[in-house]
Amino acid sequence: VLASQSPRRQQILKTNILADKIDFQVLPSTFKEDFDTSKYHGKAKELVVEYAKHKAIDVKQQIIRNRTLSPVEHSAATILIIGCDTVIEQDGVILEKPTSEEEAKTRILSYSQNTHSVLSGVYVVCITLDAANKVVSETTESFFSETEVTFADLDEELVQAYVDTKEPMDKAGGYGIQEIGATLIQKINGCYYNVVGLPVHSTSAAMYKLLSPHVGADS
């Protein structure tokens, strides 16, 4: 179960992690991301993991309250829930989605010839429910992934043209590396998929670690 309605995370999970061979369910978290980010100056790693944890736990509780939300409704089952959050950290300041086009423009111009960090926190919880919908076992894995992104020399006209596409408005930090935003980026150091929204290797490793003890037990 993916605790996110992000189409980018859904695509990464579907194609890059599950290889289009395993179905999964999208169950968005209702957790409100309203922490005071000023208290996390220089601590973006802690914030993204905390947000991811809250998202995964929220979805776990939704499933426990209403079993019809889960992939398996009527029998004992092991369910894996993935929560994720992504932010940008520049000079110790956490940058989330821009709230206006003007903010997006100012922010992207600040990236010009600079390097910032993209951080994703992932929290994976594996629960086994009995037929009565009670949790009989629970294990978790959590981690963060960091990628350094260096932007090219940008001029105001170019940035304005990018903002006019509306692409920056629904993305952490105000750009999409998997879309037109890639034309603004000179290089990255780290996981590309982390910048998109879900680090592939670390997430798949956590999933494998949690599910391995259950292979064959719940089939």
Side-chain angles (χ1 to χ4, degrees):
V1 177
L2 180 63
S4 171
Q5 59 186 357
S6 163
R8 295 171 292 279
R9 291 191 181 118
Q10 292 174 35
Q11 187 61 43
I12 292 172
L13 181 60
K14 177 178 184 290
T15 304
N16 301 98
I17 297 178
L18 300 178
D20 292 310
K21 294 181 179 180
I22 301 175
D23 292 331
F24 65 95
Q25 183 173 352
V26 174
L27 186 55
S29 166
T30 59
F31 167 70
K32 293 183 179 180
E33 301 175 40
D34 56 2
F35 287 11
D36 182 358
T37 56
S38 65
K39 296 181 179 180
Y40 288 86
H41 186 87
K43 300 178 180 179
K45 299 170 184 176
E46 296 178 16
L47 178 68
V48 290
V49 172
E50 192 67 19
Y51 270 176
K53 177 180 179 179
H54 280 284
K55 291 176 181 181
I57 290 176
D58 174 78
V59 169
K60 180 191 76 172
Q61 292 171 339
Q62 289 184 51
I63 291 172
I64 292 172
R65 288 194 301 267
N66 184 0
R67 184 62 176 270
T68 60
L69 297 174
S70 75
V72 182
E73 294 185 20
H74 302 299
S75 61
T78 296
I79 301 170
L80 191 80
I81 303 163
I82 304 168
C84 186
D85 189 70
T86 302
V87 300
I88 283 175
E89 184 179 53
Q90 186 175 40
D91 299 325
V93 178
I94 293 171
L95 306 176
E96 300 180 276
K97 296 175 183 177
T99 57
S100 68
E101 292 188 7
E102 188 60 35
E103 181 183 347
K105 180 180 177 181
T106 300
R107 185 177 297 179
I108 296 168
L109 281 170
S110 77
Y111 297 155
S112 180
Q113 292 185 296
N114 285 319
T115 299
H116 59 255
S117 292
V118 178
L119 297 112
S120 290
V122 178
Y123 191 91
V124 187
V125 56
C126 183
I127 57 172
T128 298
L129 302 177
D130 62 17
N133 217 37
K134 294 182 179 180
V135 177
V136 294
S137 71
E138 178 173 336
T139 52
T140 64
E141 286 287 320
S142 63
F143 62 90
F144 71 88
S145 179
E146 181 174 4
T147 303
E148 293 180 340
V149 180
T150 302
F151 269 62
D153 186 6
L154 308 177
D155 60 50
E156 189 169 349
E157 183 178 359
L158 176 62
V159 173
Q160 183 61 59
Y162 178 57
V163 172
D164 287 344
T165 69
K166 311 298 183 184
E167 184 180 289
M169 301 312 297
D170 69 336
K171 296 174 178 64
Y175 67 91
I177 193 173
Q178 74 282 7
E179 298 177 54
I180 305 170
T183 63
L184 311 178
I185 296 168
Q186 187 177 73
K187 65 179 180 178
I188 69 170
N189 179 25
C191 175
Y192 163 81
Y193 293 102
N194 179 55
V195 185
V196 181
L198 187 65
V200 169
H201 171 72
S202 299
T203 302
S204 59
M207 292 169 65
Y208 179 79
K209 183 176 180 179
L210 293 178
L211 286 174
S212 290
H214 302 280
V215 173
D218 300 305
S219 58

